[in-house]
Amino acid sequence: MSVTSRYRDAWEGFWREASDEPGSVLWDAEPSLTSALHVALFEPLLADPGLPMIDLGCGNGTQTRFLAARFPRVLGADLSAAAVEHARRADPAGQARYRELDATDKAAAEALHAELGDANVYMRGVLHQSDPDDRQPLIDALAALVGSRGRAFLVDPSEAAGAALRGLAQSPDGPPAKLAPIFRHGIAPGEVADTAVPAFLAAAGLTVLASGDLPLATTEHAADGSLIELPSRWLVAAAA
């Protein structure tokens, strides 16, 4: 199974329109507020830190470059060719490698696994942006990339984030500037039940090693000038 052309086109349109300026995209928060906190959670649970690290849904590569400073072999992968081009432009030194990947296509994930072997996978905010029918295939592909020795770190807005996002979208002044393009391109964030994620993982043959709550930083500001954070859940998973 792979994503629909509508969904792919939506992401292409979003990333073609997006600026190269750091922080111009809603989720393009500084690594110190995002991946640095996440690495502290999942690094102690890695069976082999030397395995390739895949930033799945890398977008413009901000977090990929941080991961490349911590791990020896890092690959940023994204559905959108335009996103991959953003990531390459932002990484002239070639700290990481980048490629297009439909992460709902298990065959494509299996082909990448055949190339790289087992991998550790970092996936931030991807599941809730996927169409409902694509969520289990996405986790199935994730399991194919992890193999028997890798670990997967997932973090996504929790159910409680839905109310916060709706409140922002329904503001009398309209959605904030960095949220508006997401809706305009038809990729509005969806809600994923907190209990659904462990079920997706179990169906893919993965078991949860650790989990918890951690606010997910955005680059949008509240009226008082503070950065908006969304309630989120994180999990580390491995082959059962």
Side-chain angles (χ1 to χ4, degrees), residues 58-137:
C58 69
N60 61 3
T62 298
Q63 314 309 321
T64 320
R65 295 190 298 278
F66 175 83
L67 294 172
R70 296 293 298 267
F71 299 97
R73 293 180 290 164
V74 176
L75 173 70
D78 201 279
L79 172 67
S80 166
V84 170
E85 287 307 310
H86 272 282
R88 287 177 176 148
R89 286 196 299 271
D91 187 7
Q95 293 176 271
R97 294 186 297 139
Y98 306 91
R99 70 170 60 181
E100 290 177 59
L101 179 71
D102 178 352
T104 69
D105 186 341
K106 189 176 180 182
E110 289 171 342
L112 182 56
H113 180 265
E115 176 186 337
L116 299 179
D118 291 354
N120 296 314
V121 180
Y122 175 70
M123 192 170 84
R124 179 179 70 106
V126 175
L127 193 63
H128 81 113
Q129 292 175 339
S130 303
D131 287 342
D133 289 346
D134 287 333
R135 290 171 186 163
Q136 185 62 60

Coordinates of all heavy atoms in Angstrom, one line a residue, residues 58-137:
C58 N 11.6 13.5 7.6 CA 12.6 14.4 8.0 C 12.3 15.9 7.7 O 12.9 16.8 8.2 CB 14.0 14.1 7.4 SG 14.1 14.3 5.6
G59 N 11.3 16.1 6.7 CA 11.0 17.5 6.4 C 12.3 18.2 5.9 O 13.0 17.7 5.0
N60 N 12.5 19.4 6.4 CA 13.7 20.2 5.9 C 15.0 19.8 6.6 O 16.0 20.5 6.4 CB 13.4 21.7 6.1 CG 13.2 22.1 7.5 OD1 13.3 21.3 8.4 ND2 12.8 23.3 7.7
G61 N 15.0 18.8 7.4 CA 16.2 18.2 7.9 C 16.8 18.8 9.2 O 17.9 18.5 9.5
T62 N 16.1 19.7 9.8 CA 16.6 20.4 11.0 C 17.0 19.3 12.1 O 18.1 19.4 12.6 CB 15.6 21.4 11.6 OG1 15.3 22.4 10.7 CG2 16.1 22.0 12.9
Q63 N 16.1 18.4 12.4 CA 16.4 17.4 13.4 C 17.4 16.4 12.8 O 18.3 15.8 13.6 CB 15.2 16.7 13.8 CG 14.0 17.6 14.2 CD 14.3 18.7 15.1 OE1 15.1 18.6 16.1 NE2 13.7 19.9 14.8
T64 N 17.4 16.1 11.5 CA 18.3 15.2 10.9 C 19.8 15.6 11.2 O 20.7 14.8 11.5 CB 18.1 15.0 9.4 OG1 16.7 15.1 9.1 CG2 18.7 13.8 8.8
R65 N 20.0 16.9 11.0 CA 21.4 17.4 11.1 C 21.8 17.3 12.6 O 23.0 17.0 12.9 CB 21.5 18.8 10.6 CG 21.2 19.0 9.2 CD 21.6 20.4 8.7 NE 20.7 21.4 9.3 CZ 19.5 21.7 8.9 NH1 18.9 21.1 7.9 NH2 18.9 22.7 9.4
F66 N 20.9 17.5 13.5 CA 21.3 17.3 14.9 C 21.6 15.8 15.2 O 22.6 15.5 15.8 CB 20.1 17.7 15.9 CG 20.4 17.4 17.3 CD1 21.2 18.3 18.1 CD2 19.9 16.2 17.9 CE1 21.4 18.0 19.4 CE2 20.2 15.9 19.2 CZ 21.0 16.8 20.0
L67 N 20.8 14.9 14.7 CA 21.1 13.5 14.8 C 22.4 13.1 14.2 O 23.2 12.3 14.8 CB 20.0 12.7 14.2 CG 18.6 12.8 14.9 CD1 17.5 12.1 14.1 CD2 18.6 12.2 16.3
A68 N 22.8 13.7 13.1 CA 24.0 13.4 12.4 C 25.2 13.8 13.2 O 26.3 13.3 13.0 CB 24.1 14.1 11.0
A69 N 25.1 14.7 14.1 CA 26.2 15.1 15.0 C 26.3 14.2 16.2 O 27.3 14.2 16.9 CB 25.9 16.6 15.5
R70 N 25.3 13.3 16.4 CA 25.4 12.3 17.5 C 25.6 10.9 17.1 O 26.0 10.1 17.9 CB 24.0 12.4 18.3 CG 23.7 13.8 18.9 CD 24.8 14.1 20.0 NE 24.7 13.1 21.1 CZ 23.9 13.2 22.2 NH1 23.1 14.3 22.3 NH2 23.9 12.3 23.1
F71 N 25.2 10.6 15.9 CA 25.3 9.2 15.4 C 26.1 9.1 14.1 O 26.1 10.0 13.3 CB 23.8 8.6 15.2 CG 23.0 8.6 16.5 CD1 22.1 9.7 16.8 CD2 23.2 7.6 17.4 CE1 21.4 9.7 17.9 CE2 22.5 7.7 18.6 CZ 21.6 8.7 18.9
P72 N 26.7 7.9 13.9 CA 27.7 7.9 12.8 C 27.1 7.8 11.4 O 27.7 8.3 10.4 CB 28.5 6.6 13.1 CG 27.5 5.8 13.9 CD 26.8 6.7 14.7
R73 N 25.9 7.3 11.2 CA 25.3 7.1 9.9 C 23.8 7.5 10.0 O 23.0 6.8 10.6 CB 25.4 5.7 9.4 CG 26.8 5.2 9.1 CD 26.8 3.8 8.6 NE 26.4 2.8 9.6 CZ 26.1 1.6 9.4 NH1 26.0 1.2 8.2 NH2 25.8 0.8 10.4
V74 N 23.5 8.7 9.4 CA 22.1 9.2 9.5 C 21.5 9.5 8.1 O 22.2 10.0 7.2 CB 22.1 10.5 10.3 CG1 20.7 11.1 10.4 CG2 22.6 10.2 11.8
L75 N 20.3 9.0 7.9 CA 19.6 9.2 6.7 C 18.3 9.9 7.0 O 17.5 9.5 7.8 CB 19.3 7.9 6.0 CG 18.4 7.9 4.8 CD1 19.1 8.5 3.6 CD2 17.9 6.5 4.4
G76 N 18.0 11.0 6.3 CA 16.7 11.7 6.4 C 15.9 11.2 5.2 O 16.3 11.3 4.1
A77 N 14.6 10.8 5.5 CA 13.7 10.3 4.5 C 12.4 11.0 4.6 O 11.9 11.2 5.7 CB 13.5 8.8 4.7
D78 N 11.8 11.3 3.4 CA 10.6 12.0 3.4 C 9.8 11.7 2.2 O 10.4 11.4 1.1 CB 10.8 13.6 3.5 CG 9.5 14.3 4.0 OD1 8.6 14.5 3.2 OD2 9.5 14.6 5.2
L79 N 8.5 11.7 2.3 CA 7.6 11.5 1.1 C 7.8 12.5 0.0 O 7.7 12.2 -1.2 CB 6.2 11.5 1.6 CG 5.1 11.4 0.6 CD1 5.0 10.1 -0.2 CD2 3.7 11.7 1.2
S80 N 8.1 13.7 0.4 CA 8.1 14.9 -0.5 C 9.5 15.1 -1.1 O 10.4 15.3 -0.3 CB 7.6 16.1 0.3 OG 7.9 17.3 -0.5
A81 N 9.5 15.2 -2.4 CA 10.8 15.5 -3.1 C 11.2 17.0 -2.7 O 12.4 17.3 -2.5 CB 10.6 15.4 -4.6
A82 N 10.2 17.9 -2.6 CA 10.5 19.3 -2.2 C 11.1 19.4 -0.8 O 12.0 20.2 -0.6 CB 9.3 20.1 -2.3
A83 N 10.6 18.5 0.1 CA 11.2 18.5 1.5 C 12.6 18.1 1.4 O 13.5 18.6 2.1 CB 10.3 17.6 2.4
V84 N 12.9 17.0 0.7 CA 14.2 16.5 0.6 C 15.2 17.5 0.0 O 16.3 17.7 0.5 CB 14.2 15.2 -0.3 CG1 15.7 14.7 -0.6 CG2 13.5 14.1 0.5
E85 N 14.7 18.3 -1.0 CA 15.5 19.3 -1.5 C 15.8 20.4 -0.5 O 16.9 21.0 -0.4 CB 14.9 19.9 -2.8 CG 15.0 19.0 -4.0 CD 16.4 18.5 -4.2 OE1 17.3 19.4 -4.3 OE2 16.6 17.3 -4.4
H86 N 14.8 20.8 0.3 CA 15.0 21.7 1.4 C 16.1 21.2 2.3 O 17.0 22.0 2.7 CB 13.7 21.9 2.3 CG 12.8 22.9 1.8 ND1 13.0 24.3 2.0 CD2 11.6 22.9 1.1 CE1 12.0 25.0 1.5 NE2 11.1 24.1 1.0
A87 N 16.0 19.9 2.7 CA 17.0 19.3 3.6 C 18.4 19.3 3.0 O 19.4 19.7 3.7 CB 16.6 17.9 3.9
R88 N 18.5 19.0 1.7 CA 19.9 19.0 1.1 C 20.5 20.4 1.0 O 21.7 20.6 1.3 CB 19.8 18.4 -0.3 CG 19.6 16.9 -0.2 CD 19.4 16.3 -1.6 NE 19.3 14.9 -1.6 CZ 18.6 14.1 -2.4 NH1 17.9 14.7 -3.4 NH2 18.6 12.8 -2.3
R89 N 19.6 21.4 0.7 CA 20.1 22.8 0.7 C 20.6 23.3 2.0 O 21.6 24.1 2.1 CB 19.0 23.8 0.2 CG 18.8 23.6 -1.3 CD 18.0 24.9 -1.8 NE 16.7 25.0 -1.2 CZ 15.6 24.5 -1.6 NH1 15.6 23.7 -2.7 NH2 14.4 24.7 -1.0
A90 N 19.9 22.8 3.1 CA 20.3 23.3 4.4 C 21.5 22.5 5.0 O 21.9 22.8 6.1 CB 19.1 23.1 5.4
D91 N 22.0 21.5 4.3 CA 23.1 20.7 4.7 C 24.2 20.7 3.7 O 24.5 19.6 3.1 CB 22.5 19.3 5.0 CG 23.6 18.4 5.7 OD1 24.7 18.9 6.1 OD2 23.3 17.2 5.8
P92 N 24.8 21.8 3.3 CA 25.8 21.8 2.3 C 27.0 21.0 2.6 O 27.7 20.5 1.7 CB 26.1 23.3 2.1 CG 25.7 23.9 3.5 CD 24.5 23.1 3.9
A93 N 27.3 20.8 3.9 CA 28.4 20.0 4.3 C 28.1 18.5 4.2 O 29.1 17.7 4.3 CB 28.8 20.3 5.7
G94 N 26.9 18.1 3.9 CA 26.6 16.7 3.8 C 26.7 15.9 5.1 O 27.2 14.8 5.1
Q95 N 26.2 16.5 6.2 CA 26.3 15.8 7.4 C 25.5 14.5 7.4 O 25.9 13.5 8.0 CB 25.8 16.7 8.6 CG 26.6 17.9 8.9 CD 25.9 18.7 9.9 OE1 25.1 19.6 9.6 NE2 26.1 18.5 11.2
A96 N 24.4 14.5 6.7 CA 23.5 13.3 6.6 C 23.2 13.1 5.1 O 23.5 13.9 4.2 CB 22.2 13.6 7.3
R97 N 22.6 12.0 4.8 CA 22.1 11.7 3.5 C 20.6 11.8 3.5 O 20.0 11.7 4.5 CB 22.5 10.3 3.0 CG 24.0 10.1 2.8 CD 24.3 8.7 2.3 NE 23.9 7.6 3.2 CZ 23.3 6.5 2.8 NH1 23.0 6.3 1.5 NH2 22.9 5.6 3.7
Y98 N 20.0 12.1 2.3 CA 18.6 12.3 2.2 C 18.0 11.6 1.0 O 18.7 11.5 0.0 CB 18.3 13.8 2.1 CG 18.9 14.6 3.2 CD1 20.1 15.2 3.1 CD2 18.2 14.8 4.5 CE1 20.7 15.9 4.1 CE2 18.8 15.5 5.5 CZ 20.1 16.0 5.3 OH 20.7 16.7 6.3
R99 N 16.8 11.1 1.2 CA 16.1 10.5 0.0 C 14.6 10.5 0.2 O 14.1 10.6 1.3 CB 16.6 9.0 -0.2 CG 16.1 8.0 0.9 CD 16.4 6.6 0.4 NE 17.9 6.4 0.3 CZ 18.4 5.3 -0.1 NH1 17.6 4.2 -0.4 NH2 19.7 5.1 -0.2
E100 N 13.9 10.4 -0.9 CA 12.5 10.2 -0.9 C 12.1 8.8 -0.5 O 12.8 7.9 -0.9 CB 11.9 10.5 -2.3 CG 11.9 11.9 -2.8 CD 11.4 12.0 -4.2 OE1 10.2 11.7 -4.4 OE2 12.2 12.4 -5.1
L101 N 11.1 8.7 0.3 CA 10.6 7.4 0.8 C 9.1 7.6 1.1 O 8.7 8.4 1.9 CB 11.3 6.9 2.0 CG 10.9 5.5 2.5 CD1 11.3 4.4 1.5 CD2 11.5 5.3 3.9
D102 N 8.3 6.7 0.5 CA 6.9 6.6 0.9 C 6.8 5.7 2.1 O 7.0 4.4 2.0 CB 6.0 6.1 -0.2 CG 4.6 5.9 0.2 OD1 4.2 6.0 1.4 OD2 3.7 5.6 -0.7
A103 N 6.7 6.2 3.3 CA 6.8 5.4 4.5 C 5.6 4.6 4.8 O 5.5 3.9 5.9 CB 7.1 6.3 5.7
T104 N 4.6 4.6 3.9 CA 3.5 3.6 4.1 C 3.7 2.4 3.2 O 2.8 1.5 3.2 CB 2.1 4.3 3.8 OG1 2.1 4.6 2.4 CG2 1.9 5.6 4.6
D105 N 4.7 2.4 2.4 CA 5.0 1.4 1.4 C 6.0 0.4 2.0 O 7.2 0.6 2.1 CB 5.6 2.0 0.1 CG 5.7 1.0 -1.0 OD1 5.7 -0.2 -0.7 OD2 5.8 1.4 -2.1
K106 N 5.4 -0.7 2.5 CA 6.3 -1.7 3.2 C 7.4 -2.3 2.3 O 8.5 -2.5 2.7 CB 5.4 -2.8 3.8 CG 6.2 -3.8 4.7 CD 5.3 -4.8 5.4 CE 6.2 -5.7 6.3 NZ 5.3 -6.8 6.9
A107 N 7.0 -2.4 1.0 CA 8.0 -3.0 0.1 C 9.2 -2.0 -0.1 O 10.3 -2.4 -0.2 CB 7.3 -3.2 -1.3
A108 N 8.9 -0.7 -0.1 CA 10.0 0.3 -0.2 C 10.8 0.3 1.1 O 12.0 0.4 1.0 CB 9.4 1.7 -0.4
A109 N 10.1 0.1 2.2 CA 10.9 0.0 3.5 C 11.7 -1.2 3.5 O 12.9 -1.2 4.0 CB 9.9 0.0 4.6
E110 N 11.2 -2.3 3.0 CA 12.0 -3.6 3.0 C 13.2 -3.5 2.1 O 14.3 -4.0 2.4 CB 11.1 -4.7 2.6 CG 10.1 -5.1 3.6 CD 9.1 -6.1 3.1 OE1 8.9 -6.3 1.9 OE2 8.4 -6.8 4.0
A111 N 13.0 -2.7 1.0 CA 14.2 -2.5 0.0 C 15.2 -1.7 0.7 O 16.5 -1.9 0.6 CB 13.7 -1.8 -1.2
L112 N 14.8 -0.6 1.5 CA 15.8 0.2 2.2 C 16.5 -0.6 3.3 O 17.7 -0.5 3.5 CB 15.1 1.4 2.8 CG 16.0 2.4 3.6 CD1 17.1 2.9 2.7 CD2 15.1 3.6 4.1
H113 N 15.7 -1.5 4.0 CA 16.3 -2.4 5.0 C 17.3 -3.3 4.3 O 18.4 -3.6 4.9 CB 15.2 -3.2 5.7 CG 15.7 -4.1 6.7 ND1 16.0 -5.4 6.5 CD2 16.1 -3.9 8.0 CE1 16.5 -6.0 7.6 NE2 16.5 -5.1 8.5
A114 N 17.0 -3.8 3.1 CA 18.0 -4.7 2.5 C 19.3 -3.9 2.2 O 20.4 -4.5 2.2 CB 17.4 -5.2 1.2
E115 N 19.2 -2.6 1.9 CA 20.4 -1.8 1.7 C 21.1 -1.5 2.9 O 22.4 -1.5 2.9 CB 19.9 -0.5 1.0 CG 21.0 0.5 0.7 CD 20.5 1.8 0.1 OE1 19.4 1.8 -0.4 OE2 21.2 2.8 0.3
L116 N 20.4 -1.1 4.0 CA 21.1 -0.6 5.2 C 21.2 -1.6 6.3 O 22.1 -1.4 7.2 CB 20.3 0.6 5.8 CG 20.1 1.9 4.9 CD1 19.3 2.9 5.6 CD2 21.4 2.4 4.5
G117 N 20.4 -2.6 6.3 CA 20.3 -3.5 7.4 C 19.4 -2.9 8.5 O 18.7 -1.9 8.3
D118 N 19.4 -3.5 9.7 CA 18.6 -3.0 10.8 C 19.0 -1.6 11.1 O 20.1 -1.2 11.0 CB 18.8 -3.8 12.0 CG 18.2 -5.2 11.9 OD1 17.5 -5.6 10.9 OD2 18.4 -6.1 12.9
A119 N 18.0 -0.8 11.5 CA 18.2 0.7 11.7 C 17.5 1.1 12.9 O 16.4 0.5 13.3 CB 17.7 1.5 10.5
N120 N 18.0 2.1 13.6 CA 17.2 2.9 14.6 C 16.5 4.0 13.8 O 17.0 4.6 12.9 CB 18.2 3.5 15.6 CG 19.0 2.4 16.4 OD1 18.4 1.4 16.8 ND2 20.3 2.6 16.5
V121 N 15.2 4.2 14.3 CA 14.4 5.1 13.5 C 13.8 6.2 14.5 O 13.3 5.8 15.5 CB 13.2 4.4 12.8 CG1 12.3 5.3 12.1 CG2 13.7 3.3 11.9
Y122 N 13.9 7.4 14.1 CA 13.3 8.5 14.8 C 12.2 9.1 14.0 O 12.3 9.4 12.8 CB 14.4 9.6 14.9 CG 14.0 10.9 15.6 CD1 13.6 11.0 16.9 CD2 13.9 12.1 14.8 CE1 13.3 12.2 17.5 CE2 13.6 13.3 15.4 CZ 13.2 13.3 16.8 OH 12.9 14.5 17.3
M123 N 11.0 9.1 14.6 CA 9.8 9.6 13.8 C 9.0 10.6 14.7 O 8.4 10.1 15.7 CB 8.9 8.4 13.4 CG 7.9 8.8 12.4 SD 7.0 7.3 11.7 CE 5.8 7.0 13.0
R124 N 9.1 11.8 14.3 CA 8.4 12.9 15.2 C 7.3 13.5 14.4 O 7.4 14.1 13.3 CB 9.5 14.0 15.5 CG 8.9 15.1 16.3 CD 10.0 16.1 16.6 NE 10.4 16.8 15.4 CZ 10.1 18.1 15.1 NH1 9.3 18.8 16.0 NH2 10.5 18.7 14.0
G125 N 6.1 13.4 15.0 CA 4.9 14.1 14.5 C 4.4 13.6 13.1 O 3.7 14.3 12.4
V126 N 4.7 12.4 12.7 CA 4.3 11.8 11.4 C 3.0 11.1 11.5 O 2.2 11.3 10.6 CB 5.4 10.9 10.8 CG1 5.0 10.3 9.5 CG2 6.7 11.7 10.6
L127 N 2.8 10.3 12.5 CA 1.6 9.5 12.5 C 0.3 10.3 12.5 O -0.6 10.0 11.8 CB 1.6 8.6 13.8 CG 0.7 7.4 13.9 CD1 0.9 6.4 12.7 CD2 0.7 6.7 15.2
H128 N 0.3 11.4 13.3 CA -1.0 12.1 13.3 C -1.2 12.9 12.1 O -2.4 13.4 11.8 CB -1.0 13.1 14.6 CG -0.2 14.4 14.3 ND1 -0.8 15.6 14.3 CD2 1.1 14.6 14.1 CE1 0.1 16.5 14.1 NE2 1.2 16.0 14.0
Q129 N -0.2 13.1 11.2 CA -0.4 13.8 9.9 C -0.7 12.8 8.8 O -0.9 13.3 7.7 CB 0.9 14.6 9.6 CG 1.1 15.8 10.6 CD 2.4 16.5 10.3 OE1 3.3 15.9 9.7 NE2 2.5 17.7 10.8
S130 N -0.8 11.5 9.1 CA -1.1 10.5 8.1 C -2.6 10.3 8.1 O -3.3 10.4 9.1 CB -0.4 9.2 8.5 OG 1.0 9.4 8.6
D131 N -3.1 9.9 6.9 CA -4.5 9.6 6.8 C -4.8 8.3 7.6 O -3.9 7.5 7.7 CB -4.9 9.3 5.3 CG -4.9 10.6 4.5 OD1 -5.0 11.7 5.1 OD2 -4.9 10.5 3.2
P132 N -6.0 8.2 8.2 CA -6.3 7.1 9.0 C -5.9 5.7 8.4 O -5.4 4.8 9.1 CB -7.8 7.2 9.3 CG -8.0 8.7 9.3 CD -7.1 9.2 8.2
D133 N -6.2 5.5 7.1 CA -6.0 4.2 6.5 C -4.5 4.0 6.3 O -4.1 2.8 6.0 CB -6.7 4.1 5.2 CG -8.2 4.0 5.3 OD1 -8.7 3.7 6.4 OD2 -8.9 4.2 4.3
D134 N -3.7 5.0 6.4 CA -2.2 4.8 6.2 C -1.5 4.6 7.5 O -0.3 4.3 7.5 CB -1.6 6.1 5.6 CG -2.0 6.2 4.1 OD1 -2.2 5.2 3.5 OD2 -2.1 7.4 3.6
R135 N -2.1 4.6 8.7 CA -1.4 4.6 9.9 C -0.8 3.2 10.2 O 0.4 3.1 10.6 CB -2.3 5.1 11.1 CG -2.5 6.6 10.9 CD -3.5 7.1 11.9 NE -3.8 8.6 11.6 CZ -4.8 9.3 11.9 NH1 -5.8 8.7 12.7 NH2 -4.9 10.5 11.6
Q136 N -1.6 2.2 10.0 CA -1.0 0.8 10.3 C 0.0 0.5 9.2 O 1.1 0.0 9.6 CB -2.1 -0.2 10.3 CG -1.6 -1.7 10.6 CD -1.1 -1.7 12.1 OE1 -1.8 -1.4 13.0 NE2 0.2 -2.0 12.2
P137 N -0.2 0.8 7.9 CA 0.9 0.5 7.0 C 2.2 1.3 7.3 O 3.3 0.8 7.1 CB 0.3 1.0 5.6 CG -1.2 0.8 5.8 CD -1.4 1.1 7.2

